[in-house]
Amino acid sequence: MAAATTIVLFGATGDLAKRKLLPGLLHLFQSKLLDDLRVVATSLDEITLTEFRDLAKKAIKDFNTRDTDAAGLDEFLKHVDFVGGKAGPKALSQAVEKAENELGEGARRLHYLSVPPKAALDVVYMLRDADLVERSRIIMEKPFGTDLASAVELNRKLHEVFDEEQIFRIDHFLGKEAAQNILAFRFANGLFEPIWHRNHIDHIQIDVPETLGLETRAGFYEGTGAYRDMVVTHLFQILAFTAMEPPTALEPNAISEEKNKVFRSMLPIDPKDVVRGQYLGYRESPGVADESDTETFIALKCYIDNWRWAGIPFYLRTGKKMAEGARIISIAFREPPKSMFPAGSGVGDRGPDHLTFDLADRTRMSLSFYGKRPGPGMKLDKLSMQFSMQETSWGGAVLEAYERLIFDAARGDRTLFTTAEGIERLWEISEQLLQEPPVVRPYEEGSWGPNQIHQLVAPFTWRLPFERKWREGKPKK
């Protein structure tokens, strides 16, 4: 359980707050994980407290993934205050002081910056001027910088106000149950831990295609692109969970250190191992240059140059307006060096065995393998064992990603957050790619990206789309 906490929510009328943060705070309050809670919401919108509470109520009813109890929602909203951004640091400080007086001695402060990256430092300085740094933790949204120089400068300015231990750089992918299940699956099971290295694993894919386009976000995306928006902030973090050495303990410093060791061991990204794409029609979007070469798609091959992973390729892919939305980690195991099975038996026809983690909201895992088809002769088929969190009695206890990360930050648990060292190292290995990006290739909306992705992954193939569908398990009551 977390101590009594005042959460100062910047950007409280924005899209992320409406869709994820306000419903998440309601659940943390009602589940009593953060029941001793006050929320001080603030945004540039000049609205009254009553208007904000009405906005919050509507947002929660529209986007809450759980049943909304009207009485419980009203009780939660009594704990919510609102300060207009133009009111200044003094008004914000007074609102926080009022909330802390209600909570009593020992209350902590958690500042959530749900604001555009360019506004983050202004908020940090406002917190300094409001004298709200002491006893505080601060959650920063991605992207954290746009290259090595900007990330170093941002960290320098942040550290003038907050200590590193107070800063929580968020990656909501790591807040998902499936991402954390990688740790449990790897290090708690004698079946898989001994074979989790280059002698038994052939290659690994991390695939996060999205069907959504950019619509009103195209202007922001112009200065960012898929690599900065998704790979540095999300996919590399998932890669570290997948590839890191066993931590000495299940505690934040030990896990952060092992993640940073992975980042230190990564070789610089070679532009020749990267395919950049842009969906047809992107340049017609408002705020996009006629000759824009911003990528809305990227696929790349990278390597971790250490004892465990030397020579093993990691393939990463993400993009907008693609054929299917998914968040998949797929580990391909090496095939046996020699087969005793006769030609035509089916061995090798379907490729290597795969262990697959689905990082989408429906936590699932699948292990594929060859098995004998019933009947005379020796005919083998690809089979699979699947696990779905929905089918368990504790599936309803799953916290959504933002809920988990807010709860962890309130407790001071940094396990699922990125350090200054880690993010700067990732920009360092990205320098050559950012300076010498390969040409942007067009791709059709609803496709899997430019054709060159098949050359990148050869002699392997991309796991998406799956030939075998996930089993649709029914929630267990």
Side-chain angles (χ1 to χ4, degrees), residues 177-218:
E177 286 286 342
Q180 296 163 63
N181 239 325
I182 297 170
L183 295 182
F185 206 85
R186 280 193 61 187
F187 300 126
N189 294 298
L191 177 62
F192 288 100
E193 193 280 330
I195 63 172
W196 207 271
H197 53 73
R198 58 190 174 88
N199 291 346
H200 297 283
I201 291 178
D202 197 60
H203 63 280
I204 292 175
Q205 293 182 23
I206 302 175
D207 217 338
V208 186
E210 298 179 290
T211 56
L212 295 176
L214 292 162
E215 285 76 42
T216 59
R217 294 181 63 238

Side-chain angles (χ1 to χ4, degrees), residues 169-185:
R169 299 169 188 81
I170 198 168
D171 171 20
H172 73 272
F173 274 40
L174 293 187
K176 295 179 177 295
E177 286 286 342
Q180 296 163 63
N181 239 325
I182 297 170
L183 295 182
F185 206 85

Side-chain angles (χ1 to χ4, degrees), residues 347-361:
V347 172
D349 291 353
R350 300 291 185 90
D353 300 335
H354 284 85
L355 175 63
T356 302
F357 295 88
D358 184 355
L359 302 186
D361 293 333

